[in-house]
């Protein structure tokens, strides 16, 4: 386990408004490190940045790699009509010592993008996070971009799958997997995300999840999704409650211990 990265995940990262929780942060860490250790290279892309919580996690784990941020950045406005969301995104990077490469930021609607706009900036991607619009249209479009830019060994992480607040995400991910069943399969699920890779790397990533030291704290439950064997990482409510209690009690610096 990398104590420095874990400290970042459980302390620094939680100071940024956003939605990636420790379990998925540890999955990101495990997958990206396994790729590096195996010489599986490529760029990283994220659709749906918000204020940068998962972006800065990717940047911290993959120091020196090209990371593309895609978002409308249309939340809030200053007196001169600039985006307060974008300003906070940039400020978060400065505060964390992880400055945003503004040449690798695309401000716009991902449904209007073409694959070469991504590969032209970061090349083929080894990790593609989809957390943008949550309608069926957005999932279909964003999964197309991921498919067309992904390296053979790449991973797609779909956010908010099976979240009842966003039912079309579930439909969109299922549609994508059924349509591409001869190409892609699911290898891991958490409470919030579904992780997908090409079929020929399915066993590789299943083993990564099974053997990653940072994921030993979770219950590994084998399940099946649309014909694929999947490792479902269950985070017991007792651990979640302990973590939340430590954070709310001002013990954020020690909260990492709940996930050992």
């Amino acid at each position: 386990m990398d104590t420095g990265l874990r400290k970042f995940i459980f302390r620094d990262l939680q100071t940024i408004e956003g939605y990636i929780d420790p379990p998925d942060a540890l999955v990101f860490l495990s997958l990206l490190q396994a790729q590096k250790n195996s010489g599986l290279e490529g760029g990283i892309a994220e659709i749906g940045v918000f204020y940068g919580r998962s972006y800065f996690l990717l940047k911290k784990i993959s120091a020196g790699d090209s990371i593309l941020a895609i978002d409308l950045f249309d939340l809030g406005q200053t007196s001169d009509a600039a985006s307060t969301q974008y300003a906070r995104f940039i400020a978060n990077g400065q505060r964390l010592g992880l400055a945003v490469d503004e040449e690798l930021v695309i401000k716009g609607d991902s449904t209007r993008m073409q694959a070469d706009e991504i590969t032209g900036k970061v090349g083929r991607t080894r990790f593609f996070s989809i957390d943008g619009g949550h309608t069926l249209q957005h999932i279909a479009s964003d999964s197309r971009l991921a498919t067309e830019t992904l390296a053979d060994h790449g991973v797609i992480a779909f956010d908010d799958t099976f979240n009842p607040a966003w039912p079309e995400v579930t439909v969109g991910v299922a549609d994508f997997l059924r349509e591409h069943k001869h190409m892609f399969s699911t290898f891991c699920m958490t409470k919030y995300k579904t992780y997908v890779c090409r079929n020929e790397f399915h066993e590789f990533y299943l083993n990564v999840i099974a053997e990653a030291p940072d994921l030993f704290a979770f219950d590994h439950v084998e399940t099946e999704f649309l014909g694929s064997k999947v490792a479902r990482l269950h985070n017991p409510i007792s651990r979640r409650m302990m973590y939340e209690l430590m954070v709310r009690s001002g013990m954020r610096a020690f909260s990492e211990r709940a996930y050992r």
Side-chain angles (χ1 to χ4, degrees), residues 2-255:
D2 188 317
T3 55
L5 280 171
R6 286 177 68 92
K7 182 182 293 184
F8 177 82
I9 288 171
F10 286 93
R11 187 181 63 186
D12 301 326
L13 197 64
Q14 305 305 313
T15 65
I16 300 175
E17 186 178 354
Y19 301 102
I20 188 167
D21 288 334
D24 281 300
L26 294 173
V27 174
F28 276 34
L29 172 63
S30 300
L31 293 174
L32 290 164
Q33 286 187 329
Q35 288 177 333
K36 276 293 188 183
N37 293 340
S38 300
L40 303 176
E41 299 182 347
I44 297 172
E46 178 178 45
I47 297 177
V49 176
F50 201 38
Y51 296 110
R53 182 183 283 192
S54 55
Y55 170 88
F56 292 115
L57 171 65
L58 294 168
K59 198 167 183 66
K60 182 72 173 180
I61 298 171
S62 306
D65 286 353
S66 297
I67 303 175
L68 182 65
I70 304 166
D71 198 294
L72 290 171
F73 291 106
D74 59 350
L75 301 178
Q77 278 193 339
T78 62
S79 57
D80 59 354
S83 166
T84 56
Q85 178 193 0
Y86 189 71
R88 284 177 60 184
F89 172 52
I90 298 297
N92 283 332
Q94 294 170 340
R95 178 172 55 81
L96 294 173
L98 297 167
V100 175
D101 183 348
E102 296 191 63
E103 292 296 315
L104 295 180
V105 175
I106 296 178
K107 300 178 184 179
D109 185 345
S110 61
T111 65
R112 299 180 179 180
M113 288 182 59
Q114 298 301 316
D116 59 6
E117 296 178 68
I118 295 173
T119 55
K121 288 183 176 290
V122 298
R124 307 297 292 185
T125 56
R126 66 182 174 106
F127 194 90
F128 201 117
S129 174
I130 296 179
D131 189 15
H134 282 35
T135 68
L136 192 58
Q137 173 197 4
H138 285 102
I139 300 302
S141 178
D142 292 347
S143 60
R144 173 188 60 79
L145 285 175
T147 300
E148 293 177 358
T149 62
L150 207 67
D152 289 344
H153 52 267
V155 169
I156 306 173
F158 289 97
D159 187 59
D160 273 328
T161 45
F162 308 108
N163 184 339
W166 302 104
E168 289 193 10
V169 174
T170 308
V171 175
V173 173
D175 284 351
F176 168 77
L177 289 168
R178 283 196 296 262
E179 182 181 349
H180 297 88
K181 63 182 179 180
H182 299 302
M183 185 184 304
F184 288 102
S185 52
T186 303
F187 65 89
C188 180
M189 288 178 173
T190 64
K191 182 179 180 181
Y192 297 109
K193 293 184 184 288
T194 295
Y195 297 86
V196 171
C197 67
R198 283 192 169 84
N199 293 338
E200 55 266 35
F201 279 87
H202 183 263
E203 197 68 25
F204 172 81
Y205 285 116
L206 266 182
N207 290 334
V208 168
I209 296 299
E211 298 170 5
D214 288 298
L215 302 179
F216 287 168
F218 304 103
D219 295 336
H220 291 235
V221 181
E222 184 178 313
T223 188
E224 188 170 299
F225 184 54
L226 297 177
S228 300
K229 184 167 70 173
V230 178
R232 182 173 65 84
L233 300 184
H234 175 60
N235 187 22
I237 191 169
S238 57
R239 181 179 293 115
R240 299 202 308 269
M241 290 176 64
M242 181 188 302
Y243 170 75
E244 291 295 334
L245 180 61
M246 295 175 81
V247 169
R248 294 176 186 181
S249 301
M251 301 172 64
R252 190 183 299 275
F254 301 100
S255 64

